[in-house]
């Protein structure tokens, strides 16, 4: 048995070396055949076979690519086993790719992931730039995630934020701590589940949303591992670690679950039964579109389900992670916290909870959110693929080159940002002397290439408005309603998690103690209860000096 295994591993190793050699020779031949000396992007010294893989192993992916960019420059060609990519880390190069040559870079590459997805060919995020993607994008911008559709869901978002506050007030009453990441992920999961298909984690009749959350988490882990497995080139197809099988199984279960929800919607629409909740959800809009004989593209059931999977993948963790980083920074910067609380109180008063419509009058809250997304972009990189041979700023790129745009480094570039590693929301206030003050909302969506938390151009994030609405309202409410303490008076550990996850997670859970300062469930007269009536002994014992000073 051992002998068989040995032969099998040896065969894989030989195949791996062969694919590496073939790749290197092809590249050399190409330069020779074209007869012109082409200038490829520079490349740090590489090791045989593994290329630059050893340089990518570090404390966190963001820090590793940031250090590569700082040491070796804004454009780099990296070899990772059988896979090659171009790492772009400056606003100039990003502009060239995302704007000047946008049409050449408007598609994304295919990963080994797609071999195991029943939704291959139906999904949105990795769809090539073509009729299917264009149709879904238009649908997103005009109906699914449009301002009018989002306005229709204000009550859902308000209810979900109230549920979060209710939970935190009960934690505060018990003088307990909580890992804030968990209720924030539940909040975003509920908002997206209810908006998309009228189901939520706290719906007593169903645990659909809970199952969706678990399945999406499973798929995320398996999907990330399969993307990393691309370094094995053709060997990735052997699914040696079994992540392909895991992914397939989880997608199968997700498909069944969403199919059932879809059938329920169809039955209700047929009988005219009114669902509890507000108006049409995204599933209704998609079913309507798929039944529309005059629609430009005939959406299949598979297309609809694949679209929902993309929403959960792209929308849930990204936003909740951003809220978590914002609160962590605020805990570590009590002066910023105090100033933000004062702004909210002066605009909103002391008798009601902050609303989404207040945000336009809260420039400091907007600055805190912008600064959080700059310093801790939930999506560290975005990936594109060239469709034709091209030159970017003098460097030659072959068709099908994978380009990783290093959003993290671009937003920490010292030539564009003063003290780039520090949390300074004031840089986004009017009259700041920072190089990027006065960034307006449109610029947040990719018109300023120094600041790209949501990417840029046709392929930019279609969920940016929903994400920003939720982050502002939630962070605002958490600051208005609570003081936050951390165990033993320490600062929050701001290290980033290791791994290649879709969202840039914190290395450790954000465990903190909420102390109620404003209770929106109480009558106006006694709503501002501070920590009054609450024994401070336990919190003082555990949290020592880290109290956020409020007025
Ligand atoms: C703070 C939260 C979020 C951040 C930082 C973020 C960031 C991004 C980035 C950087 C991209 C790639 C853009 C590019 O290639 O130029 C992207 C794509 C995408 N995002 Fe978001 N996102 C967030 C929330 C959301 C939400 C709430 C949704 C949906 C409800 C969403 C749906 C998508 C989709 C579907 C894509 C793929 C678009 C395409 O390929 O055409 N995102 N996002």
């Amino acid at each position: 048995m051992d002998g068989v295994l040995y032969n099998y591993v040896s065969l894989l190793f030989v195949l791996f070396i062969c694919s590496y050699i073939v790749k290197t020779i092809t590249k050399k031949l190409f330069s020779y055949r074209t007869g012109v000396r082409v200038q490829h992007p520079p490349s740090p010294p590489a090791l045989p076979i593994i290329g630059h893989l050893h340089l990518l192993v570090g404390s966190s992916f963001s820090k590793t690519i940031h250090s590569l960019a700082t040491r070796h420059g804004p454009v780099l060609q990296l070899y990772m086993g059988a896979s090659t990519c171009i790492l772009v880390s400056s606003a100039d190069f990003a502009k060239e790719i995302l704007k000047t040559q946008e049409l050449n870079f408007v598609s994304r590459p295919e990963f080994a992931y797609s071999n195991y997805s029943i939704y291959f060919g139906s999904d949105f995020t990795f769809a090539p730039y073509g009729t299917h993607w264009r149709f879904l994008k238009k649908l997103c911008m005009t109906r699914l995630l449009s301002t009018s559709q989002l306005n229709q869901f204000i009550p859902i978002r308000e209810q979900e934020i109230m549920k979060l506050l209710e939970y935190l007030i009960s934690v505060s009453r018990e003088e307990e701590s909580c890992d804030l990441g968990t209720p924030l992920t539940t909040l975003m999961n509920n908002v997206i589940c209810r908006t998309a298909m009228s189901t939520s984690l706290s719906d007593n009749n169903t645990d659909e949303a809970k199952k969706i959350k678990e399945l999406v988490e499973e798929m995320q882990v398996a999907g990330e591992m399969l993307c990393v497995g691309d370094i094995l080139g053709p060997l990735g197809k052997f699914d040696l670690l079994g992540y392909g099988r895991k992914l397939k199984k989880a997608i199968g279960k997700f498909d069944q679950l969403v199919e059932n929800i879809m059938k329920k919607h169809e039955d209700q629409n047929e009988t005219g039964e009114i669902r509890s909740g507000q108006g049409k959800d995204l599933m209704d809009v998609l079913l309507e579109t798929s039944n529309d004989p005059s629609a430009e593209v005939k959406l299949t059931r598979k297309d609809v389900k694949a679209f929902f999977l993309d929403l959960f993948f792209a929308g849930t963790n990204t936003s909740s992670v951003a809220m978590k980083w914002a609160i962590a920074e605020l805990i570590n910067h009590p002066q910023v916290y105090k100033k933000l609380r004062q702004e909210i109180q002066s605009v909103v008063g002391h008798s009601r909870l902050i609303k989404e419509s207040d945000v336009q009058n809260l420039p400091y809250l907007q600055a805190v959110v912008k600064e959080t997304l700059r310093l801790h972009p939930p999506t560290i990189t975005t990936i594109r693929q060239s469709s034709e041979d091209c030159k970017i700023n003098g460097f030659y790129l072959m068709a099908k080159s994978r380009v990783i745009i290093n959003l993290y480094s671009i937003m920490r570039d010292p030539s564009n940002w003063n003290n780039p590693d520090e949390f300074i929301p004031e840089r986004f206030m009017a009259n700041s002397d920072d190089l990027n003050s006065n960034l307006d909302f449109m610029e947040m969506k990719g018109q300023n290439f120094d600041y790209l938390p949501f990417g840029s151009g046709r392929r930019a994030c279609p969920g940016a408005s929903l994400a920003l609405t939720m982050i502002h309202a939630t962070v605002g409410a958490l600051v208005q309603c609570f003081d936050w303490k951390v165990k033993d008076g320490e600062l929050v550990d701001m290290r980033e998690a290791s791994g290649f996850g879709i969202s840039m997670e914190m290395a450790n859970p954000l465990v903190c103690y909420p102390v109620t300062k404003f209770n929106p469930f109480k009558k106006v007269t006694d709503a501002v209860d501070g920590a009054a009536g609450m024994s401070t002994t336990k919190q003082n014992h555990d949290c020592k000096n880290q109290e956020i000073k409020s007025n």
Side-chain angles (χ1 to χ4, degrees), residues 443-473:
E443 285 167 326
M444 285 191 85
K445 292 180 160 181
Q447 297 310 304
N448 174 332
F449 291 86
D450 303 334
Y451 187 77
L452 295 168
F454 295 102
S456 174
R458 289 172 172 79
R459 229 54 221 228
C461 177
S465 298
L466 172 60
L468 287 168
T469 305
M470 277 307 293
I471 298 169
H472 284 121

Side-chain angles (χ1 to χ4, degrees), residues 181-378:
T182 310
L184 289 177
T185 311
T186 302
L187 165 76
M188 269 322 285
N189 193 65
N190 277 353
V191 166
I192 296 199
C193 275
R194 288 184 68 186
T195 307
M197 43 183 90
S198 303
T199 182
S200 89
L201 268 181
S202 38
D203 187 338
N204 291 332
N205 303 319
T206 168
D207 57 357
E208 283 157 346
K210 185 164 175 254
K211 281 194 199 136
I212 289 178
K213 182 168 173 269
E214 286 163 4
L215 287 172
V216 168
E217 280 162 7
E218 255 175 66
M219 285 184 261
Q220 255 161 2
V221 174
E224 281 158 25
M225 292 312 290
L226 285 167
C227 288
V228 174
D230 268 34
I231 57 177
L232 294 172
L235 299 188
K237 294 217 165 65
F238 290 96
D239 192 23
L240 296 173
L241 299 176
Y243 285 106
R245 285 185 298 277
K246 282 186 191 154
L247 180 74
K248 223 171 181 170
K249 203 167 149 199
I251 297 188
K253 285 188 192 165
F254 174 88
D255 189 77
Q256 195 51 55
L257 200 67
V258 180
E259 177 65 35
N260 292 342
I261 300 174
M262 212 159 156
K263 285 203 178 113
K264 251 191 259 169
H265 273 66
E266 285 168 327
D267 292 346
Q268 284 165 335
N269 291 344
E270 219 164 86
T271 55
E273 188 189 325
I274 312 280
R275 254 192 316 274
S276 60
Q278 291 74 25
K280 285 182 189 168
D281 57 24
L282 304 192
M283 172 102 52
D284 291 319
V285 177
L286 283 166
L287 284 173
E288 222 172 75
T289 314
S290 72
N291 291 329
D292 177 0
S294 64
E296 266 167 76
V297 168
K298 176 81 190 141
L299 285 184
T300 62
R301 295 182 90 74
K302 194 169 104 175
D303 295 337
V304 173
K305 289 181 274 188
F307 180 78
F308 283 124
L309 182 55
D310 279 351
L311 277 198
F312 289 115
F313 258 144
T316 313
N317 275 359
T318 40
S319 307
S320 57
V321 157
M323 297 170 191
K324 208 161 64 163
W325 281 110
I327 296 297
E329 284 290 6
L330 288 167
I331 292 176
N332 284 358
H333 294 86
Q335 288 311 318
V336 176
Y337 198 100
K338 186 175 172 186
K339 191 168 161 185
L340 180 54
R341 163 87 57 77
Q342 278 167 352
E343 181 187 69
I344 295 172
Q345 284 175 340
S346 71
V347 171
V348 176
H350 294 266
S351 58
R352 68 165 177 89
L353 186 66
I354 178 175
K355 290 195 283 210
E356 287 179 10
S357 55
D358 293 318
V359 174
Q360 56 185 326
N361 300 318
L362 296 166
Y364 197 60
L365 173 61
Q366 294 177 38
V368 165
V369 171
K370 280 176 190 159
E371 180 66 343
T372 304
L373 292 173
R374 182 191 70 79
L375 210 48
H376 308 288

Side-chain angles (χ1 to χ4, degrees), residues 13 16-17 19-21 23-24 27 42-57 64 68 71-72 76-85 230-232:
F13 187 65
F16 183 69
I17 292 182
S19 70
Y20 177 77
I21 294 172
K23 208 165 172 185
T24 313
K27 197 179 142 203
S43 205
L47 293 176
I49 301 178
I50 64 164
H52 298 109
L53 262 183
H54 60 297
L55 300 178
L56 292 169
V57 180
T64 314
L68 270 177
R71 276 185 291 143
H72 301 286
L76 294 175
Q77 182 145 354
L78 298 176
Y79 302 101
M80 295 170 285
S83 163
T84 307
C85 73
D230 268 34
I231 57 177
L232 294 172

